[in-house]
Amino acid sequence: MSLVSLDQVHKYYGENHVLKGVDLKVEAGEVVSIIGRSGSGKSTLLRCMNGLEEYQKGAVIVDNQSVENDDYKLRLLSRSVGMVFQNFNLFPHMTVGENVMLATKLVMKKSSADSEILAKELLEKVGLADKFSAYPGNLSGGQQQRVAIARSLAMSPKVLLCDEITSALDPELVGEVLKVLEKLKQEGMTLILVTHEMNFARDVGDRVVFMNQGRVWETGQSDEVFSNPQTEELQSFLAAVR
Amino acid sequence: MSYQLDFSGLVPYLPQFAAGLWTTIELTVISTLGGLLLGTLCAQGRISKDAWLRRSCSCYIEIIRNTPFIVQLFFIFFGLPALGIKLSAWQAGMLAMIINLGAYSAEIIRAGIDAAPKGQWEAGQTLGLTRRQVFWHIILLPAYQRVYPALVSQCIIVMLGSAVVSQISVEELTFSANFVQSRSFLSFESYMVAALVYLLLAILMRQTFALIKRFAFKNPSL
Amino acid sequence: MVQFTDWDILKNLLLAARWTILLSLLAFAGGGLFGLILTLLRSMRSKIITRIIQTYVEIFQGIPLLMQLFLTFFGLSLIGIEVDAWSAAVISLTLFSSAFFHDIWRGCIEALPKGQWEACRTLGLTYLQTMRYVIVPQAMRMSIAPTVGFSVQIVKGTALASVIGFVELTKAGTMINNAVFQPFKVFAMVAVLYFLICFPLSVLARHLEKKNHVAR
Ligand SMILES: Nc1ncnc2c1ncn2[C@@H]1O[C@H](COP(=O)(O)OP(=O)(O)OP(=O)(O)O)[C@@H](O)[C@H]1O
Ligand SMILES: [Mg+2]
């Protein structure tokens, strides 16, 4: 069974039919990039995978758990699915270390000592070992985003969802975040990224999903999709973003 | 203890309530218009180049904001005649309300002005407008729009504050309730009726302002 | 007729100002406590409780404080509880401030970005954990300035207790004026005393607010 599996998912915001029957399977260890025009439903799709949004029809199954609107089940799911946001959503009143350790203590019920060891390890991994006691407000955007990644990793998720995590960053800070993602890929982490970084999607991503009008319009291996787009919509989209 | 509320006993006094309500509405409408005008002028004074004007505007604002309305009212009604300024109760009440709203709204409007992007002033001045013209034609309307909810709340607070002018015998709604309860001995009932009317007035004001908003601000919200 | 020197007037006003301050402190404490309970109740996210609290707030914000004082004063005696002006003032100022405090604090909680809630959900925190560790600490910091700011409203609100006969600063002013017939001087002094209590609080509130803005 695939790690993430969506079957004919429909989502409405009131009258607005945003997802119109999405099918998608992601295997463990895969890096999948989701691209598409603004408003095509990329964020919504991602947020249906961890229960931040409800869907009205179809099925979403992640790590053998059905994603339903049930607080308890969603809490269990949070151990399998991590999420990194466009604007970081760090807790500004806590230090970097406290941000990373919050859930390990409260949700995983690890001891303070164990949490601290883990947090330091993860911060080391994202290149911020020296920022353990700093406050998020004193970090650059790129650093904050790397803390957010470390915070998600602390739950040792099986899949990490990233929604345009470099869009709020100054161009010169994008690289340091993408480098962390590349490292995660090498370690075998499953990544699902909504992204505008076409170069990254092509070079690092295994597979590309092109969303259009609430549907998976075209999908395939990264290099093929970029070098040989099949549909007219994808061709014009790629022409526009290049 | 069982006491039956008796609202029917108030029916003969409906004309008193109606007259009081009318005065309250009168006070509210005039003081809202006057107060907002005063507040706008004062907000303009607060950003004037003239330091003396700036300082006197902020003095006025601070004094009013940091003393109770009822004291302001007593000062105007009882104190000012000592300076030869004699006002009827109605005039004193009205003046107190205008001065009160003026100070609060000045502070609110100024926050709206402060939030105007600097480019708006610069753009206006490069078009050859004077500072005053930029203020009245470019800055002011969006400033109102920015702080509209706070302004509305403040106007409602001043309307509710008008209850206090009953204390200098202006015959408004609270005065009527006082009068009726002293005649009918239905004190709780009288005040309940008055309270309910105030509540309705507050709701009505909110809706009126919402309506005004639709006509006044045609551009999408900032 | 007794002769009052200016110093006599001031002394009597100062003595009465103690009651203004005490009444303000009681209303602040009582209103704060009750407002806190309302805020906690509301955070249970029950539709009925929320609706009830909303109505409570709308009523207390939509009726003149003076009317609330009258209603407490006469309403309580109606159900057989004889209250003096003092208790009526404390009770109604407490209820009045609780509605405003609740409104302020709820506003602070709701002003936090939605992302904070979402981050907590994706980390698997329960609702109570989210409140306890993430929302409340931040909301508390934000709420200090408007809370201090509202205390000024409470001090000014206590002046209305004079109307139901409680002798605080304003009532003392009217009584003294009735004896000395120097309204300009007496009410100016009353105003100055209120100003001396309220202005520092206003300045503090503004200072805290600025600090908040810089911090973010
Ligand atoms: N909370 C919401 N309430 C109502 N409609 C929404 C909401 N969130 C998104 N939508 C609508 O759903 C559609 C898809 O939005 P979504 O955010 O998924 O697009 P997107 O592909 O992520 O776009 P972008 O590239 O701009 O982030 C849009 O038409 C949007 O207006
Ligand atoms: Mg999006």
Side-chain angles (χ1 to χ4, degrees):
Chain A
M1 176 112 193
S2 312
L3 181 56
V4 177
S5 139
L6 284 79
D7 186 21
Q8 280 302 305
V9 173
H10 288 262
K11 160 87 193 167
Y12 297 82
Y13 281 115
E15 295 282 283
N16 191 1
H17 198 173
V18 181
L19 298 181
K20 302 172 182 166
V22 173
D23 289 310
L24 182 66
K25 293 210 174 352
V26 178
E27 305 302 326
E30 248 190 322
V31 175
V32 176
S33 331
I34 302 175
I35 60 175
R37 285 179 208 287
S38 181
S40 56
K42 306 180 297 287
S43 299
T44 310
L45 179 64
L46 212 60
R47 291 159 62 86
C48 283
M49 293 182 200
N50 66 350
L52 277 184
E53 296 288 353
E54 289 175 55
Y55 50 92
Q56 278 75 38
K57 242 188 347 191
V60 179
I61 295 173
V62 179
D63 194 22
N64 296 317
Q65 302 168 61
S66 161
V67 180
E68 294 163 33
N69 185 28
D70 172 307
D71 278 352
Y72 178 71
K73 285 188 181 163
L74 289 179
R75 269 206 305 284
L76 283 185
L77 188 71
S78 70
R79 298 178 184 220
S80 308
V81 190
M83 185 164 205
V84 186
F85 300 85
Q86 179 172 351
N87 45 5
F88 330 135
N89 292 340
L90 292 177
F91 307 130
H93 61 301
M94 297 180 185
T95 64
V96 165
E98 286 164 348
N99 263 279
V100 179
M101 295 187 297
L102 183 70
T104 59
K105 283 190 206 163
L106 294 179
V107 182
M108 314 280 274
K109 310 285 182 209
K110 283 195 193 333
S111 70
S112 294
D114 288 350
S115 296
E116 193 171 325
I117 293 171
L118 176 64
K120 288 196 164 140
E121 206 173 279
L122 290 170
L123 287 172
E124 173 92 56
K125 181 186 281 188
V126 298
L128 293 171
D130 54 330
K131 298 292 184 197
F132 188 84
S133 313
Y135 279 91
N138 295 331
L139 303 184
S140 74
Q143 291 172 326
Q144 290 190 48
Q145 194 59 292
R146 285 185 281 152
V147 174
I149 294 174
R151 184 176 70 178
S152 306
L153 293 178
M155 302 288 290
S156 32
K158 300 224 168 84
V159 51
L160 197 59
L161 311 176
C162 303
D163 191 355
E164 304 197 19
I165 63 171
T166 56
S167 297
L169 302 180
D170 292 336
E172 73 270 20
L173 301 177
V174 170
E176 62 190 54
V177 173
L178 293 183
K179 223 176 274 158
V180 172
L181 288 184
E182 231 176 303
K183 197 154 148 198
L184 290 178
K185 176 194 160 102
Q186 275 154 21
E187 291 175 2
M189 173 64 81
T190 314
L191 297 170
I192 304 180
L193 327 154
V194 172
T195 182
H196 287 158
E197 300 288 336
M198 292 304 154
N199 290 333
F200 185 80
R202 187 184 53 217
D203 301 340
V204 183
D206 300 317
R207 199 145 61 89
V208 171
V209 171
F210 174 58
M211 292 282 296
N212 194 29
Q213 297 175 4
R215 294 195 171 83
V216 174
W217 202 262
E218 188 172 339
T219 175
Q221 295 306 307
S222 298
D223 35 3
E224 277 170 38
V225 167
F226 282 108
S227 56
N228 189 15
Q230 300 295 309
T231 59
E232 216 172 282
E233 287 79 3
L234 180 53
Q235 285 161 11
S236 73
F237 175 74
L238 290 177
V241 293
R242 270 183 193 149
Chain B
M1 181 77 203
S2 67
Y3 176 89
Q4 283 292 294
L5 288 180
D6 174 22
F7 286 100
S8 60
L10 292 178
V11 171
Y13 298 100
L14 275 180
Q16 265 87 4
F17 279 112
L21 172 62
W22 176 246
T23 307
T24 294
I25 291 176
E26 215 173 41
L27 287 169
T28 303
V29 171
I30 302 178
S31 68
T32 300
L33 295 175
L36 290 180
L37 179 65
L38 180 60
T40 306
L41 291 173
C42 203
Q44 192 188 10
R46 286 277 273 132
I47 55 164
S48 149
K49 287 222 169 86
D50 180 352
W52 189 85
L53 179 62
R54 265 204 320 269
R55 228 165 284 146
S56 30
C57 282
S58 43
C59 255
Y60 154 64
I61 294 175
E62 293 300 344
I63 290 173
I64 297 300
R65 283 166 54 90
N66 289 294
T67 51
F69 177 62
I70 191 170
V71 176
Q72 295 158 17
L73 183 72
F74 285 173
F75 185 79
I76 290 174
F77 186 62
F78 298 117
L80 286 191
L83 299 184
I85 307 170
K86 281 223 168 56
L87 298 167
S88 71
W90 189 90
Q91 289 167 335
M94 179 66 82
L95 185 64
M97 285 172 71
I98 291 176
I99 288 178
N100 192 266
L101 180 59
Y104 283 93
S105 62
E107 193 68 1
I108 295 171
I109 294 168
R110 196 182 61 108
I113 294 170
D114 281 349
K118 228 173 122 215
Q120 294 282 305
W121 286 99
E122 288 165 356
Q125 275 164 339
T126 47
L127 290 173
L129 276 68
T130 64
R131 249 177 87 83
R132 172 167 305 156
Q133 283 172 325
V134 177
F135 178 80
W136 286 98
H137 294 281
I138 299 178
I139 302 296
L140 193 55
L141 196 66
Y144 281 142
Q145 193 171 359
R146 260 178 230 114
V147 296
Y148 198 70
L151 272 183
V152 173
S153 302
Q154 194 57 49
C155 292
I156 292 175
I157 287 174
V158 170
M159 181 276 285
L160 297 176
S162 73
V164 174
V165 303
S166 62
Q167 296 308 305
I168 57 168
S169 306
V170 179
E171 300 181 4
E172 44 67 74
L173 189 53
T174 303
F175 186 89
S176 304
N178 276 331
F179 174 82
V180 172
Q181 71 98 12
S182 67
R183 285 296 179 82
S184 64
F185 303 106
L186 297 170
S187 46
F188 190 71
E189 288 87 339
S190 308
Y191 291 127
M192 275 296 268
V193 169
L196 205 67
V197 175
Y198 277 114
L199 204 54
L200 291 177
L201 271 181
I203 294 169
L204 193 74
M205 263 178 97
R206 221 168 258 294
Q207 280 171 349
T208 312
F209 274 109
L211 206 66
I212 294 173
K213 178 181 174 179
R214 267 206 278 152
F215 289 105
F217 309 125
K218 296 240 167 56
N219 57 331
S221 67
L222 296 163
Chain C
M1 201 178 118
V2 198
Q3 275 300 307
F4 274 89
T5 63
D6 288 356
W7 168 240
D8 286 331
I9 297 176
L10 184 63
K11 199 172 67 188
N12 281 300
L13 288 179
L14 279 172
L15 287 174
R18 291 179 311 174
W19 295 107
T20 291
I21 292 174
L22 185 63
L23 187 56
S24 304
L25 288 175
L26 283 175
F28 186 87
L33 186 67
F34 199 39
L36 193 66
I37 293 172
L38 289 178
T39 311
L40 288 179
L41 280 176
R42 183 143 181 192
S43 75
M44 291 186 350
R45 289 186 299 179
S46 141
K47 278 221 174 72
I48 308 168
I49 294 180
T50 302
R51 191 68 220 133
I52 293 175
I53 295 179
Q54 270 172 353
T55 313
Y56 176 89
V57 171
E58 271 163 34
I59 288 177
F60 281 93
Q61 296 190 340
I63 295 179
L65 178 56
L66 185 59
M67 209 39 85
Q68 294 174 32
L69 278 159
F70 287 152
L71 285 172
T72 315
F73 198 49
F74 294 102
L76 284 178
S77 63
L78 208 63
I79 54 172
I81 308 170
E82 277 309 321
V83 286
D84 48 12
W86 167 241
S87 339
V90 173
I91 292 171
S92 54
L93 279 166
T94 294
L95 296 180
F96 170 78
S97 345
S98 71
F100 278 86
F101 276 138
H102 166 69
D103 208 37
I104 291 170
W105 296 338
R106 179 197 55 90
C108 290
I109 289 176
E110 284 176 7
L112 289 177
K114 225 174 83 212
Q116 295 287 310
W117 289 93
E118 290 185 345
C120 291
R121 259 186 93 177
T122 59
L123 290 173
L125 269 61
T126 63
Y127 177 76
L128 284 179
Q129 287 171 335
T130 305
M131 280 303 249
R132 158 89 177 73
Y133 293 97
V134 177
I135 304 300
V136 171
Q138 293 183 68
M140 255 171 51
R141 237 172 262 195
M142 260 202 283
S143 68
I144 294 174
T147 302
V148 174
F150 184 71
S151 68
V152 177
Q153 308 296 328
I154 295 182
V155 176
K156 289 186 290 181
T158 62
L160 293 184
S162 64
V163 176
I164 55 171
F166 177 65
V167 185
E168 39 63 77
L169 186 48
T170 305
K171 183 74 183 175
T174 27
M175 285 161 65
I176 292 170
N177 179 48
N178 286 341
V180 302
F181 305 112
Q182 288 182 304
F184 189 87
K185 186 194 283 169
V186 173
F187 287 116
M189 279 166 125
V190 170
V192 167
L193 288 180
Y194 273 112
F195 189 83
L196 289 179
I197 302 172
C198 293
F199 187 62
L201 289 171
S202 295
V203 172
L204 178 64
R206 217 171 307 154
H207 172 73
L208 290 168
E209 178 127 20
K210 255 193 214 124
K211 232 172 63 181
N212 254 356
H213 273 288
V214 174
R216 258 181 300 152

